Amino acid sequence: MDEPAIEVTDLRVRRGGQEVLRDIGFTVRRGTVTGLLGPNGCGKSTLMRSIVGVQIVESGRVDVLGKPAGHPELRRRIGYATQDPAIYADLTVTEALRYFAAVLGAPASDVDRVVAQTGLTGSARTLVGRLSGGQRGRANVAVALLGTPELLVLDEPTVGSDPELRDELWRLFHDLADTGVTLLISSHVMDEAARCDDLLLLHQGRLLARGTPEALLRYVLNSEQRFSAIAPALLGIFPFTIMFLLTSVTTLRERTTGTLERLMTLPIGKLDLILGYALAFGLLAVLQVVVAAGISLTWLGLDIAGSVWVLLLVVVLDALLGTALGLFVSAFARTEFQAIQFLPVFVLPQFLLCGLFVPRGDMGWVLSAISDVLPLCYAVDALTQVTRSADVDGTLVRNIGIIAGCAVLALLLGAATLRRRTP
């Protein structure tokens, strides 16, 4: 009994010229309810067909109850329910079950047993074709329960069932497991994961994860923690970089189309012109920040200890810094290509030294000294502090001041560099 009920090793399946399952390997313990979860089309049904022995495999090995999958001796030891109910529609429920019981060599009393187990007593004399979708699914499961199966392979058995029926079926599954029956149950409904003893998560033909629901929950929580660790750097990098590129290239396009040249002939100062661009692009920067921060806080589960408003302030200032540097570059660059060439100079060092890859405290003194003069590094430091602490101390205020000061300095330099005459 220490031998696993199912053992899959390096399984690969190709259908219609496409690889449906790739390098699948796992074991299923006896007497357990194992859930096979994944979205529609991920390969769950193909994997189940491989286990019951009706699927041609390209390579790998599938052993079931100590025998190769498809072995003749397994046909009486495995109960299989297909995703689409495979039961004769022109027979009553009782007649259909008697037919399959006779094929299996199961006693006639088994029909009454499985009818009662699946809650079909009131529909026993109804034609299968007249059953509702949920009742047809129950009849499909009833066929799999006939005889004395040691392994039940059930492909989405609760689809179309109301919540009460789903609860009844899951109680039945666990009652069977308590008697030593092994169950492999597929589903694309994630809330059924907690009802299983073990889980297999399948995605695009690959086994994404396996373990108990508790272990996989810890994995998800750790993933969220890992995201929270790098999120400050990402929230600093992306708004800054996007606004730098958008501002520098868009403003230069106005130069090449002649719009900027026309503006230069009007009675407005160069600083007024730069500030006008800064205001227009600044509104876009704020919108981008709200969307990015909203996604991080709601959908991606970013957990912050400090104020959301302080977080938004820092990210907005960071995006405005990218806007200001973009305007500064566009003030003296002559072409869009030339502006793009400044990307390694203005953005890449800040991206590499902001702490995303290596904490600033762990850098050598040379790299640490360089990072001290890069404004994006202060934005990332401020965002990291907001996510980890609720305190607004002098360091945070200093970092915010440096970001705002660098943005203002970039705008002033852009105004000073902007040329009214073409050389």
Side-chain angles (χ1 to χ4, degrees):
M1 293 298 293
D2 292 336
E3 184 181 51
I6 302 172
E7 187 171 9
V8 178
T9 307
D10 298 329
L11 176 64
R12 300 175 75 90
V13 175
R14 189 179 298 274
R15 299 183 66 190
Q18 293 186 339
E19 201 171 38
V20 181
L21 297 177
R22 289 164 282 183
D23 303 321
I24 301 294
F26 62 89
T27 59
V28 173
R29 298 179 293 130
R30 290 180 183 257
T32 60
V33 179
T34 297
L36 177 60
L37 274 70
N40 289 328
C42 70
K44 299 190 301 293
S45 296
T46 301
L47 178 56
M48 288 189 149
R49 285 194 294 267
S50 302
I51 290 170
V52 299
V54 295
Q55 175 67 56
I56 297 175
V57 304
E58 183 176 282
S59 61
R61 183 176 179 85
V62 181
D63 291 316
V64 181
L65 301 175
K67 303 287 184 181
H71 193 283
E73 292 183 15
L74 296 175
R75 294 172 189 168
R76 297 181 185 275
R77 302 171 65 189
I78 299 176
Y80 176 47
T82 54
Q83 181 175 351
D84 295 321
I87 186 169
Y88 297 108
D90 54 351
L91 298 178
T92 66
V93 172
T94 299
E95 290 170 343
L97 291 172
R98 284 174 180 169
Y99 168 78
F100 285 107
V103 173
L104 280 169
S109 60
D110 256 16
V111 173
D112 294 333
R113 174 180 64 83
V114 299
V115 165
Q117 283 181 318
T118 54
L120 287 170
T121 303
S123 307
R125 296 185 179 181
T126 304
L127 289 175
V128 172
R130 294 182 179 176
L131 297 175
S132 66
Q135 289 176 319
R136 223 173 4 251
R138 279 188 282 172
N140 197 39
V141 172
V143 174
L145 296 176
L146 291 167
T148 55
E150 301 172 45
L151 171 66
L152 286 172
V153 179
L154 309 177
D155 196 351
E156 300 197 359
T158 61
V159 169
S161 301
D162 58 64
E164 183 177 355
L165 175 57
R166 287 175 60 193
D167 290 340
E168 292 176 1
L169 287 175
W170 278 99
R171 282 195 295 269
L172 171 61
F173 298 155
H174 282 284
D175 289 342
L176 292 168
D178 290 340
T179 66
V181 178
T182 305
L183 295 94
L184 178 64
I185 302 173
S186 74
S187 175
H188 65 272
V189 182
M190 294 305 293
D191 65 0
E192 294 190 337
R195 301 175 184 257
C196 301
D197 300 316
D198 295 308
L199 293 174
L200 302 169
L201 301 186
L202 202 63
H203 181 66
Q204 295 183 347
R206 292 188 181 275
L207 191 61
L208 189 64
R210 57 185 174 182
T212 64
E214 295 78 12
L216 293 184
L217 178 61
R218 287 195 298 270
Y219 173 81
V220 171
L221 292 176
N222 289 336
S223 297
E224 292 179 356
Q225 291 171 355
R226 288 193 293 271
F227 170 73
S228 295
I230 66 172
L234 296 178
L235 278 176
I237 290 170
F238 284 110
F240 173 87
T241 305
I242 291 173
M243 291 311 302
F244 173 84
L245 290 174
L246 183 63
T247 306
S248 58
V249 173
T250 304
T251 308
L252 275 167
R253 185 164 294 175
E254 289 206 0
R255 183 192 293 274
T256 58
T257 58
T259 308
L260 181 62
E261 185 176 356
R262 168 170 288 182
L263 290 173
M264 296 292 286
T265 65
L266 299 177
I268 55 176
K270 292 189 292 183
L271 181 59
D272 295 330
L273 184 59
I274 288 291
L275 290 177
Y277 279 122
L279 178 60
F281 285 110
L283 294 175
L284 181 60
V286 171
L287 177 62
Q288 180 202 180
V289 165
V290 171
V291 172
I295 291 174
S296 299
L297 292 170
T298 56
W299 292 351
L300 300 180
L302 174 61
D303 186 21
I304 65 170
S307 168
V308 174
W309 297 110
V310 176
L311 177 79
L312 289 175
L313 171 64
V314 175
V315 182
V316 166
L317 288 175
D318 176 59
L320 293 176
L321 173 63
T323 302
L325 285 176
L327 290 171
F328 171 53
V329 167
S330 65
F332 61 82
R334 297 182 181 180
T335 64
E336 294 176 24
F337 178 72
Q338 191 177 55
I340 295 297
Q341 287 180 314
F342 288 116
L343 179 64
V345 177
F346 283 90
V347 177
L348 189 58
Q350 305 196 65
F351 174 75
L352 294 176
L353 300 179
C354 69
L356 176 62
F357 302 103
V358 179
R360 292 181 63 197
D362 296 339
M363 297 177 185
W365 70 270
V366 174
L367 294 180
S368 179
I370 295 174
S371 70
D372 287 340
V373 298
L374 301 177
L376 179 60
C377 297
Y378 293 96
V380 172
D381 286 348
L383 289 169
T384 301
Q385 183 173 348
V386 172
T387 57
R388 296 179 181 177
S389 173
D391 297 332
V392 180
D393 57 15
T395 301
L396 179 60
V397 173
R398 182 206 66 181
N399 289 337
I400 292 175
I402 290 174
I403 302 166
C406 288
V408 172
L409 178 62
L411 290 175
L412 294 176
L413 289 175
T417 309
L418 188 63
R419 294 185 292 262
R420 285 188 178 272
R421 296 182 180 180
T422 303

